[in-house]
């Protein structure tokens, strides 16, 4: 059975504090491993959210393509473009 990443990072932090080491190298290495793992997890979560927003933008582009090919009103096309703009601004604002 695998532990959750959060549990594993917590365990590394406990080990970093409790290991008895004369020079502290082992403590520092374990603490740095926990920090790096936490940073990587945060970056992966950000990338996942960004990918989801790109998928959503792709769906909106498909709507625009369909709208143009079946001659929907200019209002419908502008509405779809506004959705893309909103999605783009959200992903670049970090939300």
């Amino acid at each position: 059975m695998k532990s959750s990443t959060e549990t594993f990072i917590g365990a590394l932090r406990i080990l970093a504090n409790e290991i008895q080491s004369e020079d502290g190298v082992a403590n520092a290495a374990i603490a740095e491993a926990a920090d790096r793992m936490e940073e990587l997890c945060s970056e992966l979560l950000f990338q996942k959210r960004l990918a989801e927003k790109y998928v959503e933008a792709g769906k909106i582009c498909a709507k625009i393509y369909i709208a143009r090919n079946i001659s929907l009103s200019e209002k419908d096309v502008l509405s779809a473009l506004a959705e893309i703009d909103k999605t783009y601004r959200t992903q670049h604002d970090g939300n």
Side-chain angles (χ1 to χ4, degrees):
M1 178 175 135
K2 286 175 57 173
S3 299
S4 71
T5 302
E6 293 82 13
T7 300
F8 188 68
I9 291 170
L12 287 174
R13 293 197 192 290
I14 291 169
L15 284 172
N17 288 325
E18 293 188 4
I19 284 181
Q20 300 296 318
S21 169
E22 285 186 30
D23 60 4
V25 172
N27 307 74
I30 294 169
E32 185 173 339
D35 291 343
R36 288 185 183 194
M37 185 174 286
E38 193 168 56
E39 288 172 12
L40 287 170
C41 287
S42 293
E43 181 63 25
L44 284 172
L45 182 59
F46 172 78
Q47 293 297 328
K48 179 182 181 240
R49 289 180 178 154
L50 188 59
E52 289 168 351
K53 289 180 181 184
Y54 278 118
V55 167
E56 188 60 34
K59 290 176 183 177
I60 295 167
C61 287
K63 287 179 187 178
I64 292 172
Y65 176 79
I66 292 167
R68 290 184 68 207
N69 286 314
I70 61 173
S71 300
L72 288 181
S73 70
E74 184 177 336
K75 180 181 174 185
D76 290 334
V77 173
L78 290 175
S79 174
L81 287 171
E83 286 184 54
I84 288 176
D85 185 60
K86 179 182 167 188
T87 300
Y88 177 80
R89 289 179 192 278
T90 301
Q91 77 190 20
H92 289 286
D93 292 343
N95 295 324

